[in-house]
Amino acid sequence: MAKPKSKAKRQLGYDEAQRAARYITTQAGFRPGARPRVGIILGSGLGAVARSLEGAKQIPYRRIPHFPRSTVVGHAGELHLGRWSGVPVAILAGRMHLYEGYTAAEVVFPTRVLALLGVETLIVTCAAGGIAPQAAPGSFLILADHINMQGQNPLAGAHDARWGARFIDMSQAYDPALRRAARNTAAALRLKCSEGVYASLLGPSFETPAEIRALRRCGADAVGMSTVPEVIAARQAGVRVLGIATITNRAAGLSRQPLSHEEVLEMGKTTSENLIRFLDTLLPKL
């Protein structure tokens, strides 16, 4: 006798995102003008940044319909809604990664929900290994461009026009005006900051020295395991994007220290204070 077929896993599409957005709206009880205009995705070890919100309401991911849950240490798995320097903000404290076994649609689901909530500007932060000489541990890298080496794209597969166009222009994925404002803010605060190209690999293993040499020849200034899927989905939805990488370590082969996730988390905590100062000054300009 043939075994019964297992039930196929339902894809996270537009209808599921709408249900998640409606739940969040109900729980938050948004007053007029209080819907989030800016969304922030926090990278590894940067959870303390969420505490800067005024009048914040926290919603665990597990309570939001269809929301995936992060399985990585350093990603709390909470949505924070409130105001930062007077600006309505939604913070995703914890992201999903392809290396956790999630599909590209699951990874970008929270980003798409933010877009449905009304977010117009998305600030994506991440931890990264520095490749360029100026990308030193403890500094920030404003993303000017990226190289997608994860082997996946969240727009691949069946197309739903409600998300936006299928073929989107990525020549200016990171908004030039936002990058200029970020550079000026970093300079005013005298923060160690440069601008460059971020390469995103699948992970979860760190790169080999040979891979880092190859990435350097490709023009990468820093390397990580996230961010790119969310940026692609945000641009499809017409959301402006600013990317900021916290350089937590020198990439493989560029220092004598072995790489570890614990080091990434520790440096993330150390640089959180500077990121808070940076956003305090930047957000009112947006």
Side-chain angles (χ1 to χ4, degrees):
M1 182 187 300
K3 292 183 179 179
K5 294 182 179 179
S6 60
K7 187 176 181 180
K9 187 176 182 180
R10 182 176 177 82
Q11 288 292 322
L12 293 182
Y14 193 90
D15 294 333
E16 286 77 16
Q18 276 194 321
R19 281 195 284 274
R22 283 197 295 266
Y23 175 84
I24 293 167
T25 299
T26 300
Q27 293 298 306
F30 292 127
R31 296 188 298 275
R35 281 183 173 271
R37 289 168 37 211
V38 176
I40 302 174
I41 300 177
L42 296 182
S44 297
L46 297 174
V49 174
R51 293 199 288 269
S52 297
L53 285 184
E54 304 161 1
K57 181 174 183 61
Q58 301 176 20
I59 306 176
Y61 289 175
R62 66 179 183 275
R63 295 182 183 173
I64 305 174
H66 309 294
F67 239 65
R69 304 177 194 177
S70 178
T71 65
V72 182
V73 176
H75 292 263
E78 295 172 339
L79 172 65
H80 298 252
L81 301 162
R83 287 184 174 268
W84 193 332
S85 298
V87 179
V89 171
I91 296 180
L92 293 169
R95 60 155 43 100
M96 279 53 73
H97 305 79
L98 291 170
Y99 66 71
E100 296 174 74
Y102 285 117
T103 66
E106 289 170 327
V107 169
V108 303
F109 186 77
T111 298
R112 286 173 160 169
V113 171
L114 290 187
L116 291 180
L117 287 174
V119 163
E120 301 167 350
T121 300
L122 180 67
I123 301 175
V124 286
T125 71
C126 62
I131 298 176
Q134 65 271 25
S139 68
F140 294 114
L141 182 80
I142 298 169
L143 307 192
D145 207 341
H146 69 235
I147 303 171
N148 183 7
M149 301 187 76
Q150 295 192 316
Q152 296 191 48
N153 188 307
L155 308 192
H159 175 57
D160 188 334
R162 292 176 291 180
W163 289 129
R166 184 172 211 167
F167 302 101
I168 61 172
D169 178 29
M170 294 293 288
S171 58
Q172 290 189 337
Y174 301 90
D175 189 90
L178 295 179
R179 287 160 47 199
R180 183 167 54 252
R183 290 195 304 269
N184 293 339
T185 298
L189 296 175
R190 298 184 178 181
L191 296 175
K192 293 180 180 179
C193 185
S194 58
E195 188 173 40
V197 176
Y198 172 81
S200 184
L201 276 65
L202 180 60
S205 58
F206 290 108
E207 303 74 32
T208 67
E211 288 170 335
I212 293 302
R213 291 194 296 271
L215 289 172
R216 182 163 51 191
R217 293 189 185 99
C218 289
D221 298 294
V223 61
M225 307 172 190
S226 66
T227 301
V228 167
E230 295 105 311
V231 172
I232 295 172
R235 292 305 301 133
Q236 184 189 37
V239 176
R240 302 166 71 203
V241 176
L242 172 66
I244 305 169
T246 298
I247 306 301
T248 56
N249 55 272
R250 293 293 287 163
L254 301 181
S255 74
R256 297 180 180 179
Q257 298 296 324
L259 303 180
S260 71
H261 188 59
E262 289 72 24
E263 178 187 16
V264 170
L265 295 179
E266 189 59 37
M267 183 57 74
K269 293 176 183 177
T270 300
T271 56
S272 286
E273 184 176 340
N274 282 337
L275 183 58
I276 290 170
R277 289 174 55 215
F278 177 83
L279 293 174
D280 271 338
T281 305
L282 178 66
L283 283 173
K285 300 177 183 178
L286 302 183

